[in-house]
Amino acid sequence: MKCLDRVARAFDRLKGSLCFAALLISVFAASEDLYSQERLRVGSKTFTESYILGEILAQVIEREKSAWRVDRRLGMGGSGIVFEAVRTGHLDFYPEYTGTLAEALLQRPELKSIPELREALTELGMTISDPLGFNNTYALAMRRAHAEELGVRNISDLVNHPNLRVGVSYEFLDRSDGFYALTEAYSLAMSRVRGMEHSLAYDALDSGSIDLMDVYTTDAKLGALDLLLLEDDLEFFPRYDAVILANLESTERAPEAWELLKTLEGQFSESKMIELNAMVDIDRMTIEDAARVHFGESIEISGFSRPIFVQELWLRTKEHVFLVVISLIFSILIAVPLGFLAHHSKLLEQLILSTTGIFQTIPSLALLGFLIPILGIGVLPALVAMILYALLPIVRNTYLGVEQIPKSLRETAFVLGLEGRRRLFWIELPLASPSILAGIKTSAVISVGTATLAAFIGAGGYGDFILRGLAINDAWTILHGALPAALMALLVQGIFDFSERWALPKGLRLSLQKSV
Amino acid sequence: MIELKSVSKSFSSQPVLSDLSLQFEEAKTHVLLGSSGCGKSTLLRMIIGLTRPDEGEVHLETKPLSAYSLFERSQLFGYVIQKFSLFPHFTAFQNVELPARCAAWSPQKVKSRIDELSELVQLEPEMLEKYPFQLSGGQQQRVSLMRALILNPPYLLMDEPLSALDPLIRGDLQEDLLKIFRRLEKTVVFVTHDLREAVKLGHKIYLLNEGQIVQSGLLEDFQSRPASEFVSRFVQSQRSAAS
Ligand SMILES: Nc1ncnc2c1ncn2[C@@H]1O[C@H](COP(=O)(O)OP(=O)(O)O)[C@@H](O)[C@H]1O
Ligand SMILES: [Mg+2]
C-alpha cells in the first residue's frame, strides 16, 4: 500500500535526520573543545554599558594581535547566567560590578574591598581585576520638575509620598541591596511598585506613566533627560565599581591576554562612561564604534541613516533556523512516542502530560539559568530548553489524535487482528496524523519565538539583535531581529499548511475536507 | 460450532445477558432477533472477543475462545457492523486487502481473491479504487463484507449490517445476502431487530428478551406455539408495523 510505504519511508527519513542532528551537535561540541585552547570567550550582560565594556575587553585583546582569537558572547541574560558561565569555565571574562558581586552573586554583602572580594572569588575558581575607575551605583530618579513640585530631594523625602508610581527593573526589585531592602532601610511604604524592563522605564518616566525609577549613575540618558537623582542620604547603596571578572584558569592559560585586560584598570571615570553610553544610546553609534572611540579612533556619527546589517542578518538567520529545525526534530522524536505511550495507562497519561506541561510553566530565563551548570552556555542548553518547551503541544496533540480515533475503527482493528507495530503504523499513526501535524505546527511556530531567547545564553539567533536593541533602546536594531522572526513564524505556518498536502494520507485529507 | 455456556453480562450492575446458553450449528444462518437494547450486539461482541462475559464461557469448536490468539481469531471470524468500520485513510481495495496483508498473501493471490469477491458481492471493480467517503452506504457495506470474507473464515458475524440503509437498497441487499449465504454455506450469526429480515435470511431465529433466549425456531413455531406472551406480542407488533 502506497500510504503505508510512505509512513515507513517517512520513518526512515526521520532516522536519517536524527543521525544528522546528532552529528551536527557532536561536531559543534567538538569544535568548541578544539578551539577552546586558542579562543577567549568574552561575555557581557544585556545593557549598553556592559555591551560597550565587553566590546572594549574584546578589542583590547584583538588590538595587540596576540595569538588569541576572541569569541564574543555579548548580551547574555542576567548577572546569574554570566557569572555561572564564568564559574563553570564556559566563559573567560566579562565586566561586572563589585556591588553586584558582593550582594547578588556571592550574597555576602559584608565584602567591601577588592582584596576581600578577590579572596572569596578565588575559592570559586575566579578572580577580578582592580577597578576600571568608575562607580556605577544605583540611584532613584524622578522628573526634575515633578520632584521640585513635591519638594523631594533625598530618598528620605519619599516617606511623605507613598503613592508615587514606581517602575523598577526586575533585577533591582529583589536583590539584597535592591528596592525592597531600600524601602525597609528608609521606612518607605511605596504602594504602587512594578517591575519593568530597564530601558523601557526611561520612556515611561519621561512620558509620565511612572514617577520614580531606578537608574545607574552612568546611564547615558541622565544628561539628555531632565531628571533629578535623589540623594542617598542614608548611604544605603554599596559601591558598584566596574571590574573584570575572570575565570582563574583562563588567567593562567592566557596570562598575556589577562595582562592586556588589566591595562584597562583606572582608565574610566563616571563622566567618560556616560559619554560612551550616550554615543550608543543617544547618538546611535554602533557598540563596536563606541569601543573604538575609547581607543582614540575618531568615528563619524552617521545619524539615522543606519545600514542594514546584511552580513550579520544572514549569520543570525542561519543560527535561528538551525536552532528551530534541530530542536523541532528532537521534540518530534521525543514527543510523538510519549503521546502514544500516554495511552497505555492512566498513570502514564498523568505523568507524561503533567511533566511536559510543567516545562511550559518554567520561565525561560529560569530554565536557562538552571541548565548552565549542567550544559554550560551556547547552542546546546538553548536547544535543550527549546526542546522542552516544544514538547507539550506535540505530546498533547498526539495523545488527542489517538484518543479521537472512533471506537468502531479501534474495534475493527482489533477484530482484524492488528496488533503492535501494525496497529501503530497502519492505523493509529495515519488516523492521528492530522492532529499530530497540527501539534508540530504549533510547536514550530512557538520555537521560532523561543529561539530568540537563545541569545540570553550566547547561542545567537535573531534574539541577539533584539537584546542588543533593547539594551541600547534602538528600534532599528530590534527590528533586525523582530521582523525576520515574525516573517519566519509566518513562513513556518505556511510551510506546514502546504505540507498537509503530502504529509497527510490522501483519503483522510479528502474526507476531512468533505466533512467541513 | 459456536457454543455459549451460561454466559452473563451486566453493565454497571444492569444485567444485559443472564445465564444464557446457546449453540450455533455449522453451515446455517442463525438470526438473533430482539428489540433494540436487548443485548444482541453484546452477545455477538462476546463471541468475537470484544466483550468478556462476567460469568460463563464462549467455546469455539471444542476449545474456549481464550485458547485462540488474536491472529487465529481474525482468521476464524468475519465481522460486519452497521457502519463506520472502513478505515477512511485506505481505499476500498486497501481496506479489503488488510487481513490478507496480515496473513502475508502474495499480491497475485490478493488480486484474484478480490476479483472473486467483488463479483460475489456485486461491487463494480472501479469502486475499489475509491475512498470510503466516496461510496454510498450500500457500497460501503459490500466492501465491509468483502473484507470480512477475504480470508474465507468459517464464521461470519453480522451486526445489523443493513439497518443504516434506505429501505429500497436494504431490500436489494437482503436478496443479495441470501444468495451469498446460500452459495458460501458458512456459519452465519446475523443480528437484526426486523422480523421480516430475519424470516427472509435465517434458517433459525432466536428471539432475545430480558437477557434470555425466549424462543428459537422458525416463524411458524413462533406463531403456532409461542413460548410466552412476549413472543406473540413481538410477532404481532412487527406484523402490524410492516403492513
Ligand atoms: N460498553 C457498554 N457500557 C455500558 N453499557 C452498555 C455497553 N454496551 C452495551 N450497553 C448496554 O447494554 C444494553 C444492550 O446493548 P446492546 O447489546 O448494544 O443492545 P442491542 O444490540 O440489542 O441493541 C443496552 O442497554 C446498552 O445501553
Ligand atoms: Mg446493537
Side-chain angles (χ1 to χ4, degrees):
Chain A
M1 275 180 227
K2 249 173 30 200
C3 176
L4 300 184
D5 293 345
R6 193 157 49 193
V7 170
R9 251 184 292 136
F11 188 66
D12 280 346
R13 243 178 301 163
L14 274 184
K15 271 196 293 196
S17 318
L18 171 62
C19 296
F20 176 68
L23 189 77
L24 273 182
I25 284 186
S26 49
V27 163
F28 185 85
S31 69
E32 261 203 326
D33 268 355
L34 213 66
Y35 284 116
S36 63
Q37 284 307 305
E38 42 194 53
R39 278 201 182 203
L40 288 173
R41 295 148 304 174
V42 173
S44 86
K45 298 194 267 185
T46 56
F47 51 89
T48 307
E49 185 169 293
S50 195
Y51 270 110
I52 295 174
L53 289 174
E55 179 63 29
I56 289 175
L57 300 193
Q59 287 192 15
V60 81
I61 298 173
E62 285 172 341
R63 278 170 182 270
E64 274 305 311
K65 289 199 166 60
S66 58
W68 301 93
R69 287 178 56 191
V70 179
D71 191 357
R72 288 171 175 74
R73 301 288 179 88
L74 306 186
M76 294 175 50
S79 303
I81 286 182
V82 209
F83 183 78
E84 195 60 22
V86 171
R87 191 181 70 76
T88 53
H90 291 94
L91 194 67
D92 298 310
F93 313 106
Y94 84 96
E96 189 48 279
Y97 303 89
T98 52
T100 311
L101 284 167
E103 307 276 334
L105 296 172
L106 298 170
Q107 306 210 327
R108 292 174 61 184
E110 75 278 6
L111 302 177
K112 298 285 183 207
S113 71
I114 294 285
E116 281 172 333
L117 273 174
R118 200 172 276 148
E119 196 186 319
L121 288 166
T122 306
E123 283 169 27
L124 299 173
M126 291 180 281
T127 188
I128 46 170
S129 68
D130 283 339
L132 302 183
F134 68 93
N135 175 23
N136 179 2
T137 191
Y138 281 107
L140 296 187
M142 294 179 67
R143 288 181 303 281
R144 187 181 299 278
H146 190 211
E148 279 165 6
E149 181 190 321
L150 299 178
V152 175
R153 231 177 259 148
N154 304 325
I155 297 180
S156 306
D157 299 336
L158 293 174
V159 170
N160 303 319
H161 303 284
N163 285 328
L164 290 177
R165 290 160 304 168
V166 182
V168 290
S169 54
Y170 290 105
E171 195 179 350
F172 182 61
L173 262 185
D174 276 332
R175 43 196 300 158
S176 63
D177 57 345
F179 190 76
Y180 290 129
L182 174 113
T183 52
E184 218 161 276
Y186 278 93
S187 312
L188 303 178
M190 309 309 290
S191 57
R192 301 162 76 182
V193 181
R194 59 178 160 148
M196 291 185 81
E197 164 65 35
H198 189 67
S199 55
L200 302 179
Y202 276 108
D203 293 334
L205 182 64
D206 195 37
S207 66
S209 50
I210 58 172
D211 303 316
L212 186 76
M213 67 179 284
D214 61 315
V215 298
Y216 306 105
T217 50
T218 55
D219 270 0
K221 289 189 181 157
L222 291 182
L225 301 175
D226 199 13
L227 300 183
L228 178 73
L229 302 194
L230 306 188
E231 179 138 358
D232 180 16
D233 45 333
L234 296 185
E235 295 194 347
F236 170 80
F237 289 120
R239 289 190 67 84
Y240 285 85
D241 290 307
V243 292
I244 303 166
L245 181 75
N247 185 294
L248 257 184
E249 272 178 35
S250 312
T251 63
E252 287 156 11
R253 183 160 57 86
E256 314 90 328
W258 182 230
E259 284 309 314
L260 284 171
L261 290 172
K262 283 168 75 67
T263 63
L264 296 171
E265 292 168 348
Q267 297 286 305
F268 298 79
S269 63
E270 279 89 16
S271 58
K272 169 148 193 220
M273 202 61 235
I274 289 179
E275 216 175 289
L276 286 173
N277 285 337
M279 283 175 196
V280 174
D281 275 351
I282 294 162
D283 301 332
R284 298 280 172 248
M285 195 181 271
T286 63
I287 285 156
E288 293 80 1
D289 284 349
R292 285 192 199 109
V293 170
H294 168 78
F295 291 105
E297 289 185 27
S298 62
I299 303 287
E300 253 177 64
I301 294 170
S302 55
F304 284 103
S305 60
R306 306 195 57 188
I308 298 176
F309 311 133
V310 179
Q311 258 190 333
E312 193 182 351
L313 199 58
W314 176 233
L315 171 74
R316 300 298 173 211
T317 304
K318 282 191 293 187
E319 290 170 342
H320 210 87
V321 169
F322 176 86
L323 287 169
V324 170
V325 170
I326 300 297
S327 68
L328 196 64
I329 288 171
F330 277 93
S331 320
I332 294 169
L333 289 176
I334 297 168
V336 172
L338 280 180
F340 277 97
L341 208 61
H343 269 273
H344 277 269
S345 73
K346 260 277 160 293
L347 184 74
L348 277 176
E349 178 200 318
Q350 297 270 315
L351 200 72
I352 290 171
L353 289 181
S354 56
T355 332
T356 49
I358 282 172
F359 289 132
Q360 300 245 310
T361 66
I362 303 177
S364 42
L365 271 187
L367 182 60
L368 292 174
F370 176 72
L371 288 175
I372 285 179
I374 309 166
L375 298 171
I377 56 170
V379 169
L380 196 59
L383 283 177
V384 170
M386 287 174 66
I387 290 168
L388 293 179
Y389 280 124
L391 287 181
L392 184 65
I394 305 177
V395 168
R396 198 179 39 206
N397 273 44
T398 305
Y399 175 78
L400 289 179
V402 183
E403 187 80 358
Q404 283 160 356
I405 295 173
K407 187 162 168 257
S408 61
L409 293 184
R410 218 181 270 285
E411 292 184 343
T412 301
F414 174 84
V415 167
L416 295 180
L418 296 171
E419 285 180 288
R421 288 167 63 102
R422 282 179 178 159
R423 195 180 67 193
L424 178 66
F425 286 108
W426 293 4
I427 308 297
E428 291 179 335
L429 201 55
L431 287 178
S433 60
S435 178
I436 296 176
L437 195 70
I440 294 175
K441 178 163 86 176
T442 307
S443 281
V445 174
I446 291 175
S447 285
V448 173
T450 47
T452 59
L453 299 171
F456 274 127
I457 49 172
Y462 291 137
D464 206 88
F465 283 121
I466 296 175
L467 285 183
R468 199 169 356 132
L470 275 175
I472 62 178
N473 199 16
D474 176 29
W476 180 249
T477 307
I478 295 175
L479 222 54
H480 272 76
L483 197 65
L487 288 178
M488 191 180 284
L490 285 176
L491 186 71
V492 165
Q493 181 109 23
I495 287 172
F496 272 91
D497 288 343
F498 181 76
S499 74
E500 280 177 8
R501 298 186 137 269
W502 54 263
L504 295 188
K506 186 178 166 209
L508 199 57
R509 177 166 51 85
L510 294 176
S511 62
L512 286 176
Q513 275 172 5
K514 196 190 171 204
S515 65
V516 164
Chain B
M1 187 168 72
I2 301 169
E3 191 176 4
L4 295 131
K5 294 187 164 176
S6 43
V7 294
S8 300
K9 181 76 190 176
S10 306
F11 288 110
S12 42
S13 72
Q14 191 70 31
V16 174
L17 301 176
S18 35
D19 197 19
L20 186 149
S21 295
L22 196 58
Q23 289 184 359
F24 294 117
E25 284 170 60
E26 301 282 319
K28 291 259 159 46
T29 303
H30 308 270
V31 178
L32 274 173
L33 184 64
S35 17
S36 130
C38 73
K40 306 181 296 293
S41 297
T42 306
L43 203 159
L44 210 61
R45 291 162 59 84
M46 217 172 248
I47 296 173
I48 206 158
L50 284 171
T51 302
R52 239 182 267 270
D54 296 338
E55 277 164 59
E57 269 188 340
V58 179
H59 276 240
L60 202 59
E61 321 286 339
T62 50
K63 287 189 285 180
L65 193 65
S66 53
Y68 297 89
S69 73
L70 195 60
F71 180 70
E72 285 170 331
R73 270 185 264 166
S74 71
Q75 309 231 307
L76 285 168
F77 293 111
Y79 183 55
V80 180
I81 59 176
Q82 197 170 332
K83 51 183 173 179
F84 303 133
S85 72
L86 295 178
F87 294 109
H89 60 300
F90 290 150
T91 61
F93 187 94
Q94 289 169 331
N95 265 286
V96 173
E97 79 169 335
L98 205 53
R101 272 178 70 92
C102 290
W105 283 18
S106 72
Q108 294 89 326
K109 188 172 171 194
V110 172
K111 181 81 179 63
S112 67
R113 176 66 178 153
I114 288 182
D115 286 345
E116 208 175 293
L117 285 171
S118 65
E119 202 216 300
L120 177 76
V121 307
Q122 301 189 24
L123 185 79
E124 302 86 70
E126 59 269 22
M127 290 298 146
L128 286 170
E129 290 317 311
K130 300 200 175 209
Y131 285 100
F133 80 97
Q134 296 165 319
L135 301 174
S136 72
Q139 288 166 335
Q140 287 181 19
Q141 289 309 78
R142 288 177 203 267
V143 173
S144 294
L145 182 58
M146 285 174 70
R147 185 174 65 188
L149 290 175
I150 187 163
L151 298 183
N152 201 15
Y155 302 102
L156 184 59
L157 308 182
M158 305 183 85
D159 191 350
E160 311 212 28
L162 310 180
S163 298
L165 303 178
D166 297 340
L168 217 61
I169 298 170
R170 184 169 182 168
D172 288 349
L173 255 160
Q174 282 171 354
E175 295 299 334
D176 291 346
L177 272 182
L178 189 59
K179 278 183 226 151
I180 292 168
F181 292 164
R182 286 205 179 125
R183 211 166 121 185
L184 296 179
E185 296 194 322
K186 289 189 184 302
T187 312
V188 179
V189 182
F190 189 100
V191 165
T192 181
H193 60 263
D194 182 58
L195 179 65
R196 297 208 307 176
E197 191 167 278
V199 171
K200 193 187 248 173
L201 295 175
H203 290 112
K204 192 171 177 186
I205 301 172
Y206 303 76
L207 187 58
L208 194 60
N209 187 45
E210 293 186 338
Q212 293 273 330
I213 302 293
V214 284
Q215 185 164 3
S216 59
L218 297 170
L219 177 62
E220 293 83 74
D221 303 328
F222 287 31
Q223 286 167 325
S224 54
R225 294 183 299 279
S228 71
E229 175 69 21
F230 172 79
V231 177
S232 21
R233 269 199 293 120
F234 185 88
V235 172
Q236 201 55 46
S237 69
Q238 291 254 344
R239 290 253 132 143
S240 50
S243 59

